[in-house]
């Protein structure tokens, strides 16, 4: 069974144009038929067999329509026609979309033959989100789940229900506080106290009369505990300082004793301090009187003292002004590279490892950018694309899990990245097996890829396709 693809009819296009204006679109059913169609889209199912109630979902400007058929309900027919039946504003049926498998129709046997048959039909139509989608079955209109959810959340009486409609027409609108009560109720209420009322201690039974009845949550101290605390405070103080009066007298009765002491400390110099000459009262104005005077020390004047020839214990010889030393003669000669300034930016082992890791990550990212997977079609295995400069290599290999009809073009990629797209449309016929079978590969300049096999490929067929082409583009 090979359907050619659901197409919108002329009537469907008109109905969709109306829906754009009135923002409403009604789906009635999926109609199954067995009539032949010579290729022109019809406006009705040629030989209708039965209708199927669809499930629909409307999101992202797309209408998803699904329906199930099974031979447990209908059997012994050719599944050849599928039509989506909608309804216009006058209530008339309109064939919105239609498909016909022609001579490739599948015969649906009876379940009594021992074969259970179930198939789910799925269709996707482009309908904007601002159009309200309804399902109408047997004259009743069904809302979408999103519309039902919105209705449930509407607390503003959406059905305009009145008290007359629910049998409360004779009920007055007075508030509960203003409604009359019986005499018996009044008497019973008069014996009750207000919710907000007070009592005196005498009216409270078993009211505690002792402090010990209550929980000591603030840790109040009794007399014995206070005495122990005072005794601990005095401790081993001398008898002359074991009362507050004696302490006050010892502090000179100064209520600001701490401030007074702090100020006194501020008038004292630090232990380690310095003086200028003017701070020293008896600083001499001349050299000490040890045989010298203001011009001489130990009887020697300044010129004598600074003359090198008069120095004692001086060396007998000196090295020349230009001389050399060995490394062992230098006491603080450095033994590690870290002692020198790294002016030419040598790298440590850790820095080299970090640089290598960065380069490795960049190379891996670059390799991943030159590989894509084409997964749009469920009939073929995943197609892998590799790119090196301007050369692209496509590979599709694996076991088919679905039967691929003859001459059926399946889109394996709607669009590839720009660097994978050729400059001109490409059509090629690469081998797909060792038996010499071929497949038609179409690649457009926009990156759309279509596979078409000239003969039917069965389930379990081992596919092995390799194809190379040039893009004319490069990021190297």
């Amino acid at each position: 069974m090979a359907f050619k693809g659901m197409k919108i009819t002329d009537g469907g296009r008109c109905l969709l144009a109306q829906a754009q204006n009135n923002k409403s679109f009604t789906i009635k059913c999926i109609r199954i038929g067995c009539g032949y169609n010579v290729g022109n889209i019809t406006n009705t199912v040629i030989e209708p067999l039965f209708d199927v109630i669809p499930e629909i979902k409307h999101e992202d400007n797309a209408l998803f329509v699904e329906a199930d058929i099974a031979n447990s309900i209908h059997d012994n027919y050719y599944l050849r026609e599928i039509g989506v039946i909608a309804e216009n504003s006058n209530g008339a049926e309109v064939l919105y979309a239609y498909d016909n498998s022609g001579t490739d129709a599948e015969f649906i046997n009876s379940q009594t033959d021992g074969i259970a048959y179930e198939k789910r039909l799925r269709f996707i139509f482009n309908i904007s989100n601002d159009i309200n989608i309804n399902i109408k079955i047997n004259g009743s209109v069904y809302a979408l789940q999103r519309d039902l959810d919105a209705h449930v959340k509407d607390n503003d009486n959406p059905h305009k229900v009145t008290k007359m409609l629910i049998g409360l027409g004779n009920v007055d609108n007075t508030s509960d506080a203003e409604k009359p009560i019986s005499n018996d109720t009044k008497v019973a209420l008069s014996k009750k106290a207000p919710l907000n009322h007070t009592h005196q201690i005498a009216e409270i039974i078993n009211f505690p009369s002792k402090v010990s009845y209550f929980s000591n949550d603030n840790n109040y101290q009794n007399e014995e505990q206070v005495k122990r605390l005072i005794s601990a405070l005095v401790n081993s103080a001398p008898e002359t300082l074991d009362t507050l009066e004696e302490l006050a007298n010892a502090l000179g009765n100064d209520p600001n004793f701490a401030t007074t002491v702090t100020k006194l400390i501020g008038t004292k110099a630090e232990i380690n301090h310095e003086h200028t000459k003017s701070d020293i009262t008896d600083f001499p104005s001349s050299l000490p009187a040890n045989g010298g005077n203001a011009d001489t020390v130990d009887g020697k004047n300044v010129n004598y003292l600074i003359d090198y020839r008069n120095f004692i214990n001086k060396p007998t010889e000196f090295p020349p002004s230009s001389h050399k030393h060995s490394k062992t003669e230098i006491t603080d000669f450095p033994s590690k590279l870290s002692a020198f300034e790294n002016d030419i930016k040598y790298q440590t082992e850790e820095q080299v490892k970090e640089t290598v890791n960065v380069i490795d990550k960049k190379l891996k990212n670059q390799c991943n950018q030159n590989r894509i997977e084409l997964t749009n079609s469920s009939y073929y295995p995943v197609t892998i694309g590799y790119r090196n400069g301007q050369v692209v290599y496509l590979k599709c290999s694996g076991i088919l899990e679905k039967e691929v009809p003859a001459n059926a073009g399946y889109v394996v990629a709607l669009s590839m990245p720009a660097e994978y797209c050729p400059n001109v449309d490409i059509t090629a016929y690469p081998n797909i097996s060792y038996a010499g079978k071929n497949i038609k590969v179409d690649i457009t300049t926009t990156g759309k890829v279509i596979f078409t096999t000239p003969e039917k490929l069965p389930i379990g067929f081992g596919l092995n396709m390799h194809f190379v082409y040039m893009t004319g583009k490069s990021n190297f």
Side-chain angles (χ1 to χ4, degrees), residues 188-199:
L189 290 175
S190 66
K191 298 179 180 179
K192 304 294 182 181
L195 290 176
N196 298 323
H197 64 282
T198 59
H199 286 281

Side-chain angles (χ1 to χ4, degrees), residues 171-183:
V171 176
D172 59 48
N173 292 326
T174 58
S175 64
D176 291 342
E178 296 175 352
K179 294 185 184 298
I181 58 176
S182 65
N183 291 329

Side-chain angles (χ1 to χ4, degrees), residues 3 32-36 47 49 75-81 101-108:
F3 283 95
I32 305 300
C34 62
Y36 284 95
E47 294 185 28
L49 297 175
D75 55 16
N76 293 320
Y77 67 92
Y78 281 97
L79 178 56
R80 184 174 288 114
E81 293 182 276
S101 63
T103 58
D104 200 21
E106 181 179 3
F107 184 76
I108 308 303

Side-chain angles (χ1 to χ4, degrees), residues 25-87:
F25 187 83
T26 301
I27 296 292
K28 188 172 183 181
C29 65
I30 303 297
R31 186 158 293 166
I32 305 300
C34 62
Y36 284 95
N37 189 310
V38 296
N40 298 322
I41 298 178
T42 181
N43 286 324
T44 183
V45 176
I46 300 171
E47 294 185 28
L49 297 175
F50 58 90
D51 294 343
V52 182
I53 299 174
E55 298 177 5
I56 67 174
K57 182 171 64 174
H58 190 202
E59 61 185 15
D60 298 331
N61 295 318
L63 177 63
F64 300 85
V65 181
E66 297 185 356
D68 295 324
I69 57 176
N71 62 352
S72 60
I73 303 175
H74 303 92
D75 55 16
N76 293 320
Y77 67 92
Y78 281 97
L79 178 56
R80 184 174 288 114
E81 293 182 276
I82 300 177
V84 178
I85 307 300
E87 188 177 274

Side-chain angles (χ1 to χ4, degrees), residues 280-342:
I280 303 174
T281 57
D282 57 349
F283 191 86
S285 59
S286 61
L287 292 175
N290 57 353
N293 52 45
D295 296 321
T296 63
V297 177
D298 294 333
K300 305 293 191 298
N301 60 28
V302 174
N303 291 329
Y304 179 87
L305 294 175
I306 63 176
D307 190 340
Y308 175 76
R309 291 172 297 177
N310 299 321
F311 287 2
I312 62 174
N313 297 325
K314 59 179 180 288
T316 59
E317 61 181 13
F318 297 92
S321 58
S322 297
H323 64 279
K324 297 181 180 180
H325 288 278
S326 65
K327 184 176 71 172
T328 56
E329 294 174 329
I330 302 176
T331 57
D332 58 348
F333 191 86
S335 60
K336 297 180 180 180
L337 290 176
S338 58
F340 297 92
E341 179 185 357
N342 190 6

